[in-house]
Amino acid sequence: MNKHQAPINLAVLHTNTRHDSGPKHVTGTAEYIDDMAEPVGTMHAYLGLSTKPHAEIVGMDFSAVLAAPGVIGVLTNEDVPGVLDISSAHMHDEPVFADGVVHFWGQPVLAVVAETRDQAKRATHLVKIEYKELPFFTDVRSAQAAGGKLVTPPLKLERGDVKAGLAGAPRRAKGAITIGGQDHFYLEGQIALAVPGEDEDVTLYSSTQHPSEIQLIVAQALGIRHNAVTVNVRRMGGGFGGKETQGNLFAVVAALAAKKWNRACKIRPDRDDDMSATGKRHDFVVDYDVGYDETGKIHAVDAVYGARAGYSSDLSGPVTDRALFHCDNAYWYPAVRARSEPLYTNTVSNTAFRGFGGPQGMVGAERWIEDIAYALGKDPLDIRKANFYGTDTDNVTPYHQVVEDNIIHRIVDELEASSDYQARRKAIVEFNKNSAILKKGISLTPVKFGISFTATWYNQAGALVHVYKDGSIHLSHGGTEMGQGLYIKVAQVVADAFGVNLDTVKIMATSTGKVPNTSATAASSGSDLNGMAAYDACRQIKERLVVHAAKLHQVEESACEWVQGGIQAGPKFVTFGELAASAYMNRVQLSAAGFYKTPKIHWDRATGRGHPFYYFSYGASVSEVTIDTLTGEYTVDRVDILHDVGKSLNPAIDLGQVEGAFVQGMGWLTTEELVWDAKGQLRTHAPSTYKIPLASDVPPVFNVKLAEWSVNKEPTIGRSKAVGEPPFMLAMSVPEALSMAVASVADYAIAPQLDMPVTPERVLIGVERLKKEARG
Ligand code: MTE
Ligand code: HPA
Ligand code: MOS
């Protein structure tokens, strides 16, 4: 018996199923682009980066570059036959290379193409560039001071009478919080391999979350039609938003070289150059004015969200929009006005990063909750609860969407009990009274995150399913795999739909040649969209097979039932394999293209009103920390999480997503700090200066649970919910717990107002400030 015809027994949907590439990841056999056998004659490109933050390029001399060993040539903007724009926003503000003016330190100014990567890289240092320096600024405050030029139009969300709400409130919380950016630090860096074909054709292997965008950008730059460009992506070694648009540059450079010299070309920057030349999470400064009362209830919020957008638009529009969409986190504001400022700065153009601006918006909300709590001498958790969205009333968001699926009360109540929050908080307050140097803190923070692309048209997906004569299945869809487990989830959907074993389904690399016009795998919507599109393809094939089975066995179609392993056609059981073979002989089509678009959603940016999110995902976490008040150093001692993924398609994968997201979020809010120096140079472009969390930073006690009772109210695939981004924001309880530990030195009477990331330095500075203020 062929092992692929083994007896079928297991349900595959909603089960713990291991990542299809898990064994290959850990044995090093999963193939990434740099592992692929290179076509004969492959050339290597390397970027030359600017050494000024803002300057006119007066002259460039390549003679030494061209004379260097192995160099085939250089690429500049003059080599772009088509449109000189790699902007995902299509705003024509992002040339391939700096176009006469460099706007940030690290901006690509040319590429050198050579026989080996080492030769190309060495030769980039031989280019002589004459610059005329221009004034520059790199951060939000200096951008605002310089006039606040924006890279893309701002957004305003408004509901209720903010002026009256503020004026009538008995108390006010006013201030500003600085929230740092974050480098994606995907393990596999940016990379592209372009292989020239006949005529205008070019095939790309790109580490991208958005193959269709790579196709468009390459076609546009080469001045050819989309149908001449094929983009293939088997997997990424992490994307985290950093490969939603940032692969464009590398793909275009590889494609330009491949067509110019009619040889394959690969480009892979090293880590320092990757970190210098590609966009990151946006830093924000949130200025706020909040009115509230003695019970801690918020009356009105007025806030401005200044963001370091970098030199061009990229995704700064939708990112700053999403910050505003999450200025409420899980809280109801009777009156609210939120405004975004996507500011031009002389830094790399910032981009998507897990949460897509949402985390920054939510950190702002937690700041004023904390201000209110310390001003009133209460546990911040009480203030949080006092302001949660209601279920039937007090449930309208700042963008006028009604929250219809609120489960935050149950999530928080269950976590508060299971983590023993109240007793632990009491014990910590006692501990702090008796401990002179070490102080502890604990915090419970909620998460509510909106699911759907706010660009409504992005919420569509396609899939292509083939059944072969032996009953084996070929699965393609528009989503990309970056480690998050999308491929296995969609394969589970297909295996479940046909009632076959999971190993009957062959997962194919994503290709623009298989499924066209796809969206980025982003906004956590990969399985919602592609799972449904694949299901639609399966449904079509199943319908044809039922008609066929009924005919074959001379029963009514209604007497045919899909069961595990095949179809029960009246008294006769036909295996899926037999069905496929006989369908072929009877000329029944065994292939289908599926399609899905998210229902219900709409959004009018001009009026700031609509229903941009199909549903919300919820969660909460409790963190406990210990700080050393002499050094500022701290440990995260225990974390408890309860997170909502609806009815999970794969609890094992989802738990991994929750754990990974929490740790990545914790890195953002504690140790990962981007530093630009007075010369406008990014100083933190390697792990030696930029500290991401290590395995040893995972909390020693880490109790992570999915809310098993949760079922998506909307008819999503298997009633599941998106999981990719929302748990990132669970990490907010870490800085909030640090805040409590710091506040303990002044008897919890002064709000610590720590900026993010809360590094040990910031803890120490906070401790010193509060001690001083407490002394008067
Ligand atoms: N998980 C892993 N392992 N690697 C990643 O790059 N990206 C995150 C999240 N989880 C990422 C990840 C981001 S930013 C998003 S939007 C989602 O995965 C995208 O995948 P999904 O829509 O299939 O969840
Ligand atoms: N999230 C992530 N990526 C995006 C979005 C979004 O809302 N819109 C466009 N790209
Ligand atoms: Mo995720 S930031 O939407 O790629």
Side-chain angles (χ1 to χ4, degrees):
M1 192 179 182
N2 178 325
K3 80 177 170 75
H4 294 294
Q5 291 160 358
I8 287 149
N9 41 32
L10 281 176
V12 284
L13 210 57
H14 308 300
T15 62
N16 290 325
T17 304
R18 129 179 126 183
H19 194 289
D20 49 285
S21 296
K24 288 187 256 185
H25 288 153
V26 296
T27 55
T29 51
E31 193 179 68
Y32 296 87
I33 292 171
D34 214 29
D35 300 321
M36 291 171 59
E38 291 169 7
V40 173
T42 295
M43 311 179 292
H44 298 265
Y46 208 88
L47 297 172
L49 308 181
S50 93
T51 53
K52 302 287 173 215
H54 197 197
E56 254 173 65
I57 299 177
V58 181
M60 282 207 266
D61 176 359
F62 305 134
S63 46
V65 178
L66 294 170
V71 169
I72 296 164
V74 299
L75 287 177
T76 66
N77 286 335
E78 318 242 298
D79 294 296
V80 179
V83 179
L84 186 62
D85 184 35
I86 57 169
S87 159
S88 56
H90 311 294
M91 304 260 281
H92 290 269
D93 61 353
E94 203 176 328
V96 179
F97 302 109
D99 199 24
V101 177
V102 302
H103 290 275
F104 70 95
W105 179 90
Q107 184 172 6
V109 285
L110 84 166
V112 177
V113 179
E115 298 295 341
T116 70
R117 180 167 173 272
D118 189 53
Q119 288 169 334
K121 184 176 172 183
R122 283 172 193 278
T124 59
H125 298 294
L126 302 176
V127 60
K128 290 200 185 74
I129 304 176
E130 200 186 325
Y131 291 110
K132 188 175 153 223
E133 293 194 43
L134 299 168
F136 70 92
F137 44 86
T138 58
D139 64 15
V140 168
R141 284 294 189 231
S142 39
Q144 286 168 332
K149 179 177 150 191
L150 305 180
V151 293
T152 187
L155 175 67
K156 181 165 87 171
L157 298 182
E158 192 161 17
R159 209 199 65 246
D161 189 339
V162 176
K163 214 173 145 199
L166 288 175
R171 284 171 166 261
R172 294 283 268 275
K174 273 192 211 191
I177 177 169
T178 298
I179 304 163
Q182 186 178 24
D183 189 90
H184 302 85
F185 224 101
Y186 23 60
L187 287 185
E188 178 208 34
Q190 302 283 344
I191 184 165
L193 168 67
V195 183
E198 289 181 9
D199 306 319
E200 293 177 326
D201 295 358
V202 59
T203 301
L204 279 128
Y205 299 86
S206 163
S207 187
T208 178
Q209 294 172 237
H210 200 347
S212 288
E213 180 77 6
I214 297 282
Q215 177 190 31
L216 180 154
I217 293 284
V218 166
Q220 183 177 273
L222 289 173
I224 59 180
R225 303 190 64 177
H226 293 193
N227 60 9
V229 183
T230 305
V231 181
N232 300 316
V233 189
R234 173 58 186 84
R235 60 168 66 78
M236 283 160 275
F240 307 111
K243 293 171 181 170
E244 183 170 340
T245 64
Q246 300 301 291
N248 293 359
L249 168 70
F250 302 94
V252 163
V253 168
L256 286 171
K259 290 313 272 186
K260 179 167 175 173
W261 286 286
N262 200 27
R263 291 166 65 179
C265 182
K266 187 156 86 175
I267 179 167
R268 173 173 70 80
D270 68 14
R271 183 63 65 175
D272 296 83
D273 290 337
D274 191 311
M275 290 181 77
S276 302
T278 68
K280 311 172 192 316
R281 182 185 295 284
H282 292 66
D283 318 54
F284 274 68
V285 177
V286 185
D287 288 293
Y288 59 92
D289 187 355
V290 176
Y292 64 100
D293 62 29
E294 305 298 333
T295 68
K297 262 185 147 342
I298 291 171
H299 289 204
V301 171
D302 190 10
V304 175
Y305 295 76
R308 168 160 29 204
Y311 89 100
S312 71
S313 53
D314 188 80
L315 293 168
S316 294
V319 166
T320 49
D321 286 3
R322 192 173 272 270
L324 264 50
F325 284 121
H326 291 81
C327 71
D328 55 347
N329 190 7
Y331 309 117
W332 183 64
Y333 301 150
V336 52
R337 177 170 56 210
R339 286 167 288 168
S340 70
E341 287 183 356
L343 295 156
Y344 170 93
T345 49
N346 294 107
T347 51
V348 64
S349 193
N350 281 327
T351 193
F353 196 141
R354 207 168 195 170
F356 205 75
Q360 294 94 317
M362 289 157 68
V363 164
E366 295 307 329
R367 159 55 76 84
W368 44 84
I369 291 283
E370 195 188 282
D371 281 1
I372 295 169
Y374 287 109
L376 297 176
K378 292 193 175 179
D379 177 355
L381 179 56
D382 295 334
I383 309 301
R384 294 190 166 102
K385 288 181 178 173
N387 288 288
F388 280 156
Y389 277 110
T391 41
D392 303 315
T393 56
D394 302 348
N395 57 2
V396 188
T397 59
Y399 40 96
H400 301 260
Q401 172 168 349
V402 174
V403 182
E404 292 164 345
D405 57 8
N406 188 359
I407 54 169
I408 198 62
H409 304 91
R410 180 166 179 192
I411 294 264
V412 167
D413 288 350
E414 286 192 14
L415 182 69
E416 186 180 342
S418 69
S419 67
D420 204 16
Y421 173 87
Q422 293 299 349
R424 284 166 64 205
R425 189 170 198 276
K426 262 203 203 99
I428 284 171
V429 171
E430 267 316 295
F431 173 91
N432 288 345
K433 274 189 201 143
N434 303 312
S435 174
I437 310 291
L438 299 182
K439 302 285 185 185
K440 286 180 183 282
I442 188 168
S443 172
L444 189 159
T445 54
V447 166
K448 166 182 141 287
F449 193 77
I451 302 300
S452 293
F453 287 98
T454 55
T456 303
W457 70 92
Y458 258 52
N459 297 286
Q460 57 173 309
L464 182 64
V465 173
H466 302 326
V467 176
Y468 293 103
K469 282 176 274 186
D470 65 348
S472 65
I473 298 164
H474 213 76
L475 167 63
S476 303
H477 54 77
T480 57
E481 177 64 40
M482 56 196 104
Q484 84 277 39
L486 172 64
Y487 276 9
I488 190 69
K489 284 185 179 176
V490 181
Q492 286 174 269
V493 167
V494 170
D496 180 72
F498 287 122
V500 298
N501 264 353
L502 195 56
D503 68 359
T504 309
V505 182
K506 177 98 185 154
I507 296 169
M508 301 308 296
T510 307
S511 174
T512 56
K514 291 254 181 73
V515 179
N517 311 322
T518 57
S519 299
T521 306
S524 305
S525 61
S527 41
D528 281 10
L529 297 175
N530 296 287
M532 276 302 217
Y535 182 79
D536 179 51
C538 298
R539 182 193 50 78
Q540 297 170 46
I541 298 171
K542 283 172 71 174
E543 281 172 12
R544 291 182 214 136
L545 286 175
V546 165
V547 173
H548 168 64
K551 236 191 243 157
L552 199 66
H553 298 288
Q554 294 172 346
V555 294
E556 294 292 319
E557 281 170 30
S558 58
C560 292
E561 200 193 338
W562 280 93
V563 292
Q564 241 356 62
I567 285 185
Q568 189 68 42
K572 177 93 172 109
F573 172 71
V574 208
T575 69
F576 188 70
E578 290 164 355
L579 208 55
S582 73
Y584 167 74
M585 291 308 294
N586 288 279
R587 298 184 293 174
V588 176
Q589 191 191 5
L590 283 170
S591 173
F595 184 76
Y596 176 74
K597 58 180 181 198
T598 311
K600 266 194 167 176
I601 49 174
H602 56 90
W603 167 239
D604 180 0
R605 195 173 186 274
T607 59
R609 285 170 177 259
H611 192 102
F613 302 121
Y614 190 30
Y615 61 87
F616 296 95
S617 292
Y618 298 86
S621 70
V622 177
S623 291
E624 179 178 333
V625 301
T626 307
I627 67 168
D628 180 331
T629 54
L630 297 181
T631 64
E633 286 169 296
Y634 52 79
T635 52
V636 179
D637 306 322
R638 173 172 167 183
V639 173
D640 293 68
I641 287 172
L642 182 60
H643 193 76
D644 156 41
V645 294
K647 190 162 158 49
S648 175
L649 294 177
N650 185 331
I653 293 282
D654 287 350
L655 268 181
Q657 282 291 295
V658 175
E659 292 173 358
F662 177 87
V663 172
Q664 190 173 42
M666 184 175 74
W668 171 51
L669 292 171
T670 58
T671 64
E672 296 182 43
E673 191 170 28
L674 294 163
V675 178
W676 281 265
D677 68 13
K679 292 181 181 153
Q681 181 173 346
L682 175 68
R683 299 310 298 256
T684 48
H685 49 74
S688 51
T689 46
Y690 183 78
K691 194 195 175 310
I692 62 166
L694 307 174
S696 54
D697 291 318
V698 173
V701 183
F702 197 23
N703 301 318
V704 184
K705 266 183 67 180
L706 302 177
E708 279 159 17
W709 41 265
S710 177
V711 173
N712 200 333
K713 277 178 61 177
E714 301 297 338
T716 51
I717 188 77
R719 297 274 174 178
S720 63
K721 286 190 181 183
V723 67
E725 294 166 290
F728 181 88
M729 287 138 279
L730 294 170
M732 292 189 300
S733 59
V734 176
E736 295 297 315
L738 288 168
S739 206
M740 176 186 169
V742 170
S744 74
V745 306
D747 205 21
Y748 312 101
I750 305 170
Q753 302 199 309
L754 304 174
D755 282 334
M756 307 287 150
V758 184
T759 55
E761 290 92 324
R762 289 217 169 90
V763 167
L764 187 60
I765 291 166
V767 164
E768 293 296 319
R769 181 177 72 79
L770 263 64
K771 277 186 178 165
K772 203 167 144 200
E773 280 183 32
R775 283 195 300 266

